[in-house]
Amino acid sequence: MSNDNEIIAAGRDFLRSHWDRMEKAVSDQSKGVPAPQQQKPCPAGGRVVDLVPRERMSVGRMPLIDAVTGRRSRRKYAEQPLSMEDISFLLWVTQGVREHGEIRSFRTVPSGGSRHGFETYLYTQRVDGLEEGLYRYQPLDHRLCLLRSDAGMREALKAALNGQGWNSAAVFVWTAVPYRTEWRYPVVAGKIIALDAGHVCQNLYLACESIGCGTCAIGAYDQEKLDAFLGVDGEEELAVYAAPVGRAVPE
Ligand SMILES: Cc1cc2nc3c(=O)[nH]c(=O)nc-3n(C[C@H](O)[C@H](O)[C@H](O)COP(=O)(O)O)c2cc1C
């Protein structure tokens, strides 16, 4: 069998449930290993930006039927910036926490076993009140930590997205932290993480639509370059999905 055929077979196998494997597996959760952290900490001494809380958000009132009907992938954006409220809303809609305890949280998106094995990185270019830079969202605190704001980031990100940042005002990048899901579901975590990612990005699409913005899911990115841009090791944490966002232009 050619290498391509093996890869295709592995891809199909990945789609199967494999729940029988879970019945034989021993998870770290069942062994009493403490649950992994639900969000990464902010870098010590770095800038932290509080976001507009859910109770004070006034955007996003479009009826669901209109948001669903209007949703499409948008790859051209107006030059106007996003507001802090827009960004706060988009972050909350994609990963916001409704309720949480020691080992899990309940959020605006579903997640197998409530593991929520993602970190959200946000590169901002045109957001009022936010300096250009790379941030990470902390869903439990609904705030952003600034990670870097050095020169040349825009070009590096564009290359990592294979030229697909377009003229966006901001770019969402989601990483997976696989162990968060493996801790509970050791042998089926990969598929659960992939399914979970779809919910997150679909919420972003609908939320963008509801505030006059647009986005486009990006799966065709350069893994090594995007991991390097984010500063993640590509093993314990790796980029899985990206989505530029900007004000929509009439099509
Ligand atoms: C998992 C996934 C990966 C995608 N990757 C890309 C991409 O890398 N580049 C791109 O331009 N569009 C990408 N898209 C957007 C699709 O091309 C788009 O959803 C499709 O053409 C249907 O158009 P619509 O979203 O406007 O309905 C992706 C969509 C999904 C769901």
Side-chain angles (χ1 to χ4, degrees):
M1 194 158 58
S2 78
N3 193 34
D4 279 359
N5 284 341
E6 283 169 20
I7 292 170
I8 289 168
R12 289 183 180 186
D13 194 49
F14 170 86
L15 294 171
R16 297 194 173 100
S17 148
H18 294 304
W19 208 257
D20 53 322
R21 292 182 189 166
M22 268 306 295
E23 277 147 25
K24 291 175 213 129
V26 183
S27 68
D28 276 0
Q29 181 179 16
S30 69
K31 284 191 258 176
V33 175
Q37 59 186 5
Q38 297 178 50
Q39 65 183 17
K40 287 175 75 173
C42 286
R47 189 174 167 215
V48 172
V49 183
D50 288 322
L51 295 165
V52 178
R54 160 75 186 84
E55 308 69 49
R56 293 219 319 267
M57 287 175 197
S58 57
V59 297
R61 306 290 149 166
M62 177 184 276
L64 182 62
I65 191 164
D66 294 338
V68 171
T69 307
R71 186 217 64 82
R72 65 208 60 221
S73 293
R74 299 182 192 274
R75 301 176 180 84
K76 248 188 245 160
Y77 312 104
E79 284 303 309
Q80 296 128 274
L82 303 183
S83 68
M84 278 298 284
E85 189 177 350
D86 293 329
I87 278 295
S88 303
F89 173 66
L90 296 177
L91 288 163
W92 181 80
V93 161
T94 46
Q95 279 290 273
V97 173
R98 196 174 74 227
E99 193 187 317
H100 77 95
E102 285 295 303
I103 65 162
R104 66 183 176 177
S105 57
F106 294 97
R107 305 194 185 186
T108 49
V109 286
S111 166
S114 253
R115 301 314 306 144
H116 296 289
F118 301 115
E119 291 287 335
T120 305
Y121 292 78
L122 183 73
Y123 173 70
T124 61
Q125 203 165 303
R126 292 190 309 281
V127 179
D128 279 339
L130 214 49
E131 70 179 286
E132 179 173 349
L134 178 68
Y135 297 80
R136 195 174 55 235
Y137 180 51
Q138 287 201 303
L140 299 180
D141 306 292
H142 190 52
R143 63 184 191 181
L144 288 170
C145 329
L146 178 63
L147 302 180
R148 50 184 285 209
S149 55
D150 45 293
M153 295 177 64
R154 199 178 308 184
E155 288 313 307
L157 179 57
K158 192 173 176 188
L161 298 178
N162 289 322
Q164 300 186 95
W166 304 293
N167 66 330
S168 54
V171 179
F172 282 69
V173 182
W174 294 286
T175 61
V177 180
Y179 181 67
R180 279 196 203 141
T181 307
E182 291 159 1
W183 175 78
R184 181 174 172 84
Y185 300 125
V187 286
V188 295
K191 181 177 169 185
I192 291 175
I193 293 167
L195 292 171
D196 283 355
H199 308 139
V200 176
C201 194
Q202 177 69 359
N203 267 22
L204 181 68
Y205 266 99
L206 296 179
C208 278
E209 211 59 43
S210 78
I211 60 171
C213 287
T215 188
C216 179
I218 294 189
Y221 59 86
D222 183 307
Q223 188 70 52
E224 271 183 33
K225 285 184 185 161
L226 194 51
D227 287 342
F229 176 79
L230 301 173
V232 300
D233 67 4
E235 274 298 325
E236 295 305 318
E237 183 178 1
L238 60 153
V240 290
Y241 217 2
V245 170
R247 293 240 160 267
V249 286
E251 287 179 8

